[in-house]
């Protein structure tokens, strides 16, 4: 079997010669890869695929006493969203992730001396704010959430 395979391979390479290319392998920096992954997570968390398939409106309208009010969060419906609702949720997930990354970087030995406290408190603030706002969004989406 291997003789037949070698014969086919050698005859194929004689008929069609692959070009001799001198290609450089481009290695992106670690920060570029990190930025790409963070952007991809933002797109996934924002629900862009859902928005492309379902095509929901960007914002909604709530009717009150003779007036209309724009609404960005679709209340009480867990399986659907407005476009801005997905973008808002993804933004706060992203800010919470950046806060955790800042906390991690603040605790390394190199950064502890100069910017450690600033990075740590900024990270804690970003994470805490994003946590509170995401819980607020969940309470708007699911009216009885976290109540006994």
């Amino acid at each position: 079997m291997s003789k037949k395979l070698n014969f086919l391979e050698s005859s194929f390479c004689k008929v069609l010669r692959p070009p001799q290319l001198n290609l450089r392998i481009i290695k992106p920096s670690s920060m570029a890869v990190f930025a790409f992954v963070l952007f991809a997570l933002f797109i996934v968390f924002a629900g862009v695929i859902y928005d492309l398939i379902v095509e929901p409106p960007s914002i909604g309208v709530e009717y009150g006493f003779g007036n209309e009010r724009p609404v960005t969060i679709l209340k009480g419906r867990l399986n659907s969203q407005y476009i801005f609702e997905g973008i808002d949720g993804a933004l706060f997930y992203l800010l919470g992730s950046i806060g955790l990354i800042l906390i991690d970087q603040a605790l390394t030995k190199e950064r502890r001396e100069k910017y450690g406290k600033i990075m740590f408190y900024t990270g804690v603030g970003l994470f805490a704010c994003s946590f509170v706002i995401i819980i607020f969004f969940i309470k708007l989406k699911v009216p009885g959430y976290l109540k006994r």
Side-chain angles (χ1 to χ4, degrees):
M1 183 74 175
S2 64
K3 287 183 180 182
K4 290 180 183 179
L5 188 61
N6 285 338
F7 173 73
L8 287 174
E9 184 179 327
S10 63
S11 63
F12 181 72
C13 288
K14 286 178 185 176
V15 175
L16 297 173
R17 290 184 180 233
Q20 297 293 328
L21 299 175
N22 295 325
L23 296 175
R24 280 188 346 209
I25 296 176
I26 299 172
K27 293 184 178 179
S29 67
S30 60
M31 198 56 159
V33 172
F34 173 71
F36 176 74
V37 168
L38 211 58
F39 178 72
L41 283 175
F42 177 79
I43 294 297
V44 169
F45 287 160
V48 171
I49 298 167
Y50 171 82
D51 293 340
L52 289 175
I53 293 171
V54 178
E55 297 178 359
S58 59
I59 60 172
V61 177
E62 187 176 86
Y63 299 102
F65 297 103
N67 56 0
E68 297 176 354
R69 217 175 72 159
V71 177
T72 58
I73 296 178
L74 190 58
K75 296 179 182 177
R77 295 195 53 197
L78 207 56
N79 60 348
S80 60
Q81 70 178 17
Y82 294 131
I83 292 176
F84 277 116
E85 179 181 353
I87 292 172
D88 291 343
L91 177 71
F92 288 112
Y93 273 112
L94 191 71
L95 287 178
S97 301
I98 290 173
L100 288 176
I101 291 168
L102 283 175
I103 291 170
D104 179 56
Q105 289 296 315
L107 298 177
T108 60
K109 290 181 182 178
E110 297 87 26
R111 296 213 175 55
R112 193 178 298 158
E113 297 167 357
K114 283 188 175 182
Y115 304 110
K117 287 184 180 178
I118 295 170
M119 286 177 70
F120 182 77
Y121 290 126
T122 304
V124 168
L126 281 175
F127 183 74
C129 287
S130 67
F131 179 77
V132 168
I133 291 172
I134 288 171
I135 292 296
F136 176 71
F137 281 177
I138 292 173
K139 284 183 180 180
L140 283 177
K141 285 293 274 186
V142 184
Y145 186 70
L146 291 179
K147 289 185 180 178
R148 290 186 177 206

